[in-house]
Amino acid sequence: GTGGAGVGTRDGSRRDMLTTEPPVVSLAALREGDIATLKTLRSALRDGPGYFTLDAEVAIPSSLVTECYDRARSFFALPLDVKTCY
């Protein structure tokens, strides 16, 4: 393979994207409408790298995270014909 060489993106190559650290976006700051955080999010998605890390440690209760994982496990344990109904 080419290892990503020559594969274009908006502002560089795939190789550049893979070595770019994603910005950290605070869910709490987004909920508060923090303009700087909104600009960081927009820039990450529009200009690159195309993804971000969501810091939601204090914004999402651990019980909700556990419930989401439990529901995901339950869903993926369903037979395929049942899952396709969703």
Side-chain angles (χ1 to χ4, degrees):
T2 63
V7 177
T9 62
R10 285 186 181 164
D11 291 330
S13 71
R14 181 178 289 162
R15 184 174 307 182
D16 294 336
M17 271 182 43
L18 295 175
T19 60
T20 300
E21 285 293 319
V24 177
V25 175
S26 165
L27 181 60
L30 285 174
R31 285 181 172 165
E32 294 170 3
D34 181 71
I35 298 300
T37 303
L38 290 168
K39 287 181 179 179
T40 297
L41 176 60
R42 179 177 186 248
S43 176
L45 297 175
R46 182 173 173 232
D47 304 325
Y51 54 95
F52 59 94
T53 299
L54 183 64
D55 177 9
E57 185 174 333
V58 295
I60 299 175
S62 61
S63 60
L64 179 59
V65 173
T66 301
E67 182 181 344
C68 288
Y69 278 110
D70 290 344
R71 288 185 183 216
R73 273 190 284 281
S74 296
F75 173 79
F76 287 107
L78 293 171
L80 181 59
D81 61 325
V82 174
K83 288 187 280 194
T84 58
C85 295
Y86 290 93

